[in-house]
Amino acid sequence: MRTPGTDRIDAPRFGRRALLTGGAAGAGLGAALGAGAVLGIPALTGTEDAPDPAAAGFGGETLPCHGAHQAGVATAPTAHARYLAFALRPETDRAALARMFRILSDDIEGLASGEAPLADPEPELAARPARLTITVGVGPGLVDRVDPARRPAWLAPLPSFARDALDGRHDGGDLLCLVQADDPLAIAHAARMLARDLRSFAEPLWTQQGFRRARGAEPAGTTMRNLMGQVDGTVNPSPEDPDFADLVWCDGRASASDAADVSWLAGGTALVLRRIRMELDTWDRVDRPGREQTIGRTLADGAPLTGGTERSAADFDARTPHGLPVIPGYAHIRRAHSEDPAERIFRRSANYDADGEAGLVFACFQRDPLRQFVPIQRRLDELDLLNEWVTHTGSAVFAVLPGFAPGGVLGAALLA
Amino acid sequence: MRTPGTDRIDAPRFGRRALLTGGAAGAGLGAALGAGAVLGIPALTGTEDAPDPAAAGFGGETLPCHGAHQAGVATAPTAHARYLAFALRPETDRAALARMFRILSDDIEGLASGEAPLADPEPELAARPARLTITVGVGPGLVDRVDPARRPAWLAPLPSFARDALDGRHDGGDLLCLVQADDPLAIAHAARMLARDLRSFAEPLWTQQGFRRARGAEPAGTTMRNLMGQVDGTVNPSPEDPDFADLVWCDGRASASDAADVSWLAGGTALVLRRIRMELDTWDRVDRPGREQTIGRTLADGAPLTGGTERSAADFDARTPHGLPVIPGYAHIRRAHSEDPAERIFRRSANYDADGEAGLVFACFQRDPLRQFVPIQRRLDELDLLNEWVTHTGSAVFAVLPGFAPGGVLGAALLA
């Protein structure tokens, strides 16, 4: 008798190809039910009727993984996110990188579609992606390995900030896979698939997991709250804004201050990831007015202290009857605000709470961190009362690759 | 100017009482919207019309925390769970325990209802509990501190099993709070509230977090899958079964083999919690037939190998044309199965996947672990092919207290 586990057997031929053969191609739900049909097993619904998509749940929902930009940046945030950073193995040369990106692209197509990559040992876990996206970024080391002349100046560790307390556990990396979905099981499965397929090219460096409100728990479009209780992320460019592309997407042109050949980045973006620990025990000792003055917004609905509702513009000139600023000089939103409209970032943060520590996995996308994130963070670093209760303990910058088309491969322009 | 954070100010008077004063008592949604109304802030919907509960999402849904049994045992599983274990401080005597349970009961009432406990610094995070339950259990040390004669024989570390590899990081504890909800933010907030309020009575010992499929991702009633891809938990008593109470709820009567006075446990239950690490890398090398034989069920839909669908009974006598058992002798479901209907447990597991390790937070409820969990685990420990890929690394037993009524207090019978 063969003992499972002692010998390596051909990868199961279940998944995308089998499904296509079975005529069950299509969106997630069809694939999930089709999987049973291919094997002659009754589908989960147990009826002969067409399934009711609503009753089947959102697990089968998919987001396209192809396009000019990768998914997961401008697409609507999901409930869960996991950042997987890797360090390239010394032997991973340009040819190996080409193989690696080919495999990554295949995995992304399989996992995002719910059809499961070819060698997925658990296609049932892939069958309900729940809007899964996988967004791939490259770090300074990877670009240098291809061609140092192609590395933009911003693709480097951020300049240090006085209050930084980086502990080395969530810093840097050569390669990043950002996995997002509305379902933690879909993310766990995809993350394992990616880590396994990357194993011969790179070693895991660090992982960060984040969450927002569960999908369906709140009215659509509700701004998330962080673990300090604040409405977090109100002032954020919208992908519908006319200047969104200029703020977020790289255009591939060299800049006056940076002669690097960044043509491979057209359609990509720069990700700044900061791990921000919150000192909730001392924060809780502050009364509500104190906390609202620290931020410059009300806790109840996130409206600026100068009135209105969450989306109202803050009036930084407003004064109290005593002549003091309504939004104090040390308030977080005043320090984060810039009069220069080009000095904005596109935020996409999530909460973390594990191993006795809580905080924010702060992520932002922009065309050039040195012109966008850095000046904002410089002001916050210099003066922001919120600094009493937050500490940046991790920092990384990645170039998010441009998107890819069906039949294409991620990173093709970089390796060309 | 007062500097927030440097002085301790009265806890904010926002929350349950304020809401009740404002006439906004009731279920979660009303409370959440009412919170704004009390402060004169427009509700989130921004309209004068009655809110649409469906559009508002399930965050406002609440489960009753009062009753003969605590919530979170027989109530339907939620998407997320967190187990918080504590070690009592040496000075926590019987009088302190009475105060502790009073505070815990208040917190549970406030958090489960969405109305926020009185001293909750972030009532907005409490306002959308998403079916939050908090289930309190006591460990051997707590009962001994009250009266060793009241400790049932099963309320002790489990007998050791040959394959156990307990690493001391998730074992035992004097007090357990199991926090469950469909929303991770609701859990994070409740867990912090509990830890803070327990601080003067107990120290945090360990935490475990688990997840199932996100709420709404799958058809209601779908059995969860674990990270090995298996349908997990099919054979499980239902709270509607006529013998469920006999299997799960303690009746408060001493048994022939145990003279302890367990009258304080009537309506409670015994929780066995095992942390089961999965060796997914080697598991993935097994082909699908090998994995299905290991469990005794198909991967596609969890039907027993003897046919039918997920809920079909396994035919342990069935043989192949070659005379071999269809469900092998080493198969997990055969080893877990007992011919004695009293030797059953009520499972409620969740997946974990963090810090480079994945597995199952295995939880089961029963009247007496020595007669229910232990004989099952003994058989699995002796022979179960699944043991090649799973290792028990944590173990704890708690007596889940009986429920409490409005105006009552958890643990009252124990301390009487």
Side-chain angles (χ1 to χ4, degrees):
Chain A
M1 187 181 65
R2 187 172 49 69
T3 306
T6 56
D7 48 1
R8 166 97 203 185
I9 299 133
D10 277 346
R13 293 293 171 198
F14 181 89
R16 193 163 12 155
R17 301 292 155 84
L19 289 164
L20 292 171
T21 310
L29 177 62
L33 298 175
V38 169
L39 298 182
I41 294 159
L44 267 180
T45 56
T47 77
E48 299 298 315
D49 302 328
D52 169 7
F58 61 72
E61 288 183 21
T62 58
L63 289 177
C65 68
H66 296 121
H69 314 297
Q70 287 191 74
V73 176
T75 45
T78 55
H80 299 274
R82 195 184 298 197
Y83 292 83
L84 307 165
F86 298 86
L88 290 180
R89 296 189 185 281
E91 64 271 25
T92 303
D93 57 13
R94 197 167 174 139
L97 286 175
R99 290 196 303 278
M100 182 186 83
F101 282 124
R102 162 68 64 187
I103 292 171
L104 265 182
S105 304
D106 275 355
D107 282 353
I108 292 171
E109 288 174 340
L111 291 165
S113 66
E115 292 169 5
L118 254 189
D120 192 334
E122 281 91 28
E124 291 85 2
L125 296 184
R128 300 186 70 72
R131 290 202 297 159
L132 181 95
T133 59
I134 296 165
T135 315
V136 176
V138 295
L142 190 151
V143 177
D144 280 352
R145 204 171 287 197
V146 174
D147 180 358
R150 296 196 188 179
R151 179 160 64 84
W154 55 258
L155 188 54
L158 288 175
S160 63
F161 299 97
R163 291 180 165 274
D164 277 2
L166 310 186
D167 60 15
R169 293 184 304 135
H170 302 98
D171 296 336
D174 294 326
L175 179 73
L176 177 84
C177 295
L178 163 56
V179 187
Q180 300 175 83
D182 286 323
D183 187 300
L185 189 60
I187 289 184
H189 174 68
R192 188 156 65 87
M193 188 84 203
L194 293 169
R196 189 178 47 223
D197 282 351
L198 287 170
R199 195 170 297 161
S200 57
F201 306 100
E203 288 183 286
L205 187 64
W206 51 255
T207 299
Q208 298 193 59
Q209 298 197 42
F211 60 89
R212 306 162 73 99
R213 280 275 190 204
R215 171 165 171 179
E218 292 193 316
T222 304
T223 309
M224 79 164 220
R225 284 188 187 266
N226 63 34
L227 291 167
M228 286 175 149
Q230 303 152 2
V231 175
D232 191 319
T234 299
V235 175
N236 211 19
S238 160
E240 279 77 50
D241 290 349
D243 56 357
F244 183 83
D246 287 345
L247 285 171
V248 171
W249 301 122
C250 299
D251 60 5
R253 292 200 293 264
S255 73
S257 59
D258 183 1
D261 169 13
V262 290
S263 55
W264 60 276
L265 254 174
T269 182
L271 166 65
V272 169
L273 190 65
R274 305 279 286 183
R275 189 171 179 89
I276 306 180
R277 188 181 68 218
M278 296 173 170
E279 315 299 348
L280 295 177
D281 289 343
T282 52
W283 175 251
D284 282 348
R285 294 198 199 115
V286 185
D287 66 357
R288 287 177 72 87
R291 283 186 273 160
E292 293 180 334
Q293 298 248 314
T294 300
I295 302 301
R297 294 185 175 278
T298 67
L299 286 165
D301 70 351
L305 294 183
T306 44
T309 59
E310 184 201 335
R311 305 272 166 197
S312 300
D315 177 359
F316 292 109
D317 298 325
R319 303 245 154 198
T320 68
H322 304 291
L324 295 170
V326 176
I327 296 173
Y330 53 65
H332 180 73
I333 65 167
R334 181 185 290 276
R335 299 299 299 171
H337 176 75
S338 169
E339 295 296 327
D340 179 357
E343 201 175 284
R344 286 182 295 151
I345 53 179
F346 182 50
R347 288 182 284 165
R348 193 185 187 91
S349 298
N351 302 304
Y352 76 87
D353 180 23
D355 306 321
E357 187 187 302
L360 200 65
V361 183
F362 172 95
C364 68
F365 298 97
Q366 62 252 285
R367 183 176 281 188
D368 184 344
L370 299 178
R371 293 164 174 268
Q372 293 169 270
F373 174 79
V374 168
I376 297 170
Q377 182 57 26
R378 190 74 73 202
R379 283 196 303 276
L380 295 175
D381 190 54
E382 284 165 4
L383 175 64
D384 172 8
L385 189 55
L386 191 58
N387 289 334
E388 296 291 321
W389 302 281
V390 301
T391 307
H392 290 232
T393 65
S395 182
V397 180
F398 294 97
V400 174
L401 295 169
F404 65 114
V409 177
L410 265 181
L414 174 61
L415 293 177
Chain B
M1 187 181 64
R2 186 172 47 71
T3 306
T6 56
D7 48 1
R8 166 97 204 186
I9 299 135
D10 276 347
R13 293 293 171 197
F14 182 87
R16 194 164 10 154
R17 301 291 156 84
L19 290 163
L20 291 171
T21 310
L29 177 62
L33 298 175
V38 170
L39 298 182
I41 295 158
L44 267 181
T45 56
T47 77
E48 299 298 315
D49 302 329
D52 169 7
F58 62 72
E61 287 182 21
T62 58
L63 290 177
C65 68
H66 296 121
H69 313 298
Q70 287 191 73
V73 177
T75 45
T78 55
H80 299 273
R82 195 182 299 196
Y83 292 83
L84 307 164
F86 298 86
L88 290 180
R89 296 189 185 280
E91 65 271 25
T92 302
D93 57 13
R94 197 168 175 140
L97 286 175
R99 290 196 302 278
M100 181 186 85
F101 282 123
R102 162 67 64 188
I103 291 171
L104 265 182
S105 305
D106 276 354
D107 281 353
I108 291 170
E109 287 173 340
L111 292 164
S113 65
E115 292 168 5
L118 254 189
D120 192 334
E122 281 91 28
E124 291 85 2
L125 296 184
R128 299 185 70 74
R131 290 201 298 159
L132 181 93
T133 60
I134 296 165
T135 315
V136 176
V138 295
L142 190 151
V143 177
D144 280 351
R145 205 170 287 198
V146 174
D147 180 359
R150 296 196 187 179
R151 179 160 66 84
W154 55 257
L155 188 54
L158 288 174
S160 62
F161 299 96
R163 292 180 164 274
D164 277 1
L166 309 186
D167 60 14
R169 293 185 303 137
H170 302 99
D171 296 336
D174 295 327
L175 180 73
L176 177 84
C177 294
L178 162 56
V179 187
Q180 300 174 86
D182 286 322
D183 188 300
L185 189 60
I187 289 184
H189 174 68
R192 188 157 65 87
M193 188 83 203
L194 293 169
R196 189 179 48 223
D197 282 352
L198 287 170
R199 194 170 296 160
S200 57
F201 305 101
E203 288 182 288
L205 187 63
W206 51 255
T207 299
Q208 299 193 59
Q209 298 197 41
F211 59 89
R212 306 162 74 99
R213 279 274 191 206
R215 171 165 171 177
E218 292 193 316
T222 304
T223 309
M224 80 164 219
R225 283 188 188 266
N226 63 35
L227 291 167
M228 287 176 149
Q230 302 152 2
V231 175
D232 191 319
T234 298
V235 175
N236 212 18
S238 160
E240 279 77 50
D241 290 349
D243 57 356
F244 183 83
D246 286 345
L247 285 171
V248 172
W249 301 122
C250 299
D251 60 5
R253 290 200 292 265
S255 74
S257 58
D258 183 1
D261 169 12
V262 290
S263 55
W264 59 277
L265 255 173
T269 182
L271 165 65
V272 170
L273 189 66
R274 305 279 287 183
R275 188 171 180 89
I276 305 180
R277 188 182 67 217
M278 295 173 171
E279 315 299 347
L280 295 178
D281 289 343
T282 52
W283 176 250
D284 282 349
R285 294 197 200 117
V286 186
D287 66 356
R288 287 177 71 87
R291 284 186 272 159
E292 292 180 336
Q293 298 248 313
T294 300
I295 301 302
R297 294 185 175 276
T298 68
L299 286 164
D301 71 350
L305 294 183
T306 45
T309 59
E310 183 201 337
R311 305 271 167 198
S312 301
D315 177 0
F316 292 109
D317 299 324
R319 303 245 155 199
T320 68
H322 304 293
L324 296 170
V326 177
I327 296 172
Y330 53 66
H332 181 72
I333 65 167
R334 180 186 290 277
R335 298 299 297 171
H337 177 75
S338 169
E339 295 296 328
D340 179 356
E343 202 176 283
R344 287 182 295 152
I345 53 179
F346 181 51
R347 289 182 284 164
R348 192 185 187 91
S349 298
N351 302 304
Y352 76 86
D353 181 22
D355 306 322
E357 188 187 302
L360 200 65
V361 182
F362 173 94
C364 68
F365 298 96
Q366 63 252 283
R367 184 176 281 188
D368 184 343
L370 298 179
R371 293 163 173 267
Q372 293 169 269
F373 174 79
V374 168
I376 297 170
Q377 182 57 26
R378 189 75 72 202
R379 284 195 303 275
L380 296 175
D381 190 54
E382 284 166 5
L383 174 64
D384 172 7
L385 189 55
L386 191 59
N387 288 333
E388 296 291 319
W389 302 281
V390 301
T391 307
H392 290 233
T393 65
S395 182
V397 180
F398 294 97
V400 173
L401 295 169
F404 66 113
V409 178
L410 266 180
L414 174 62
L415 293 175

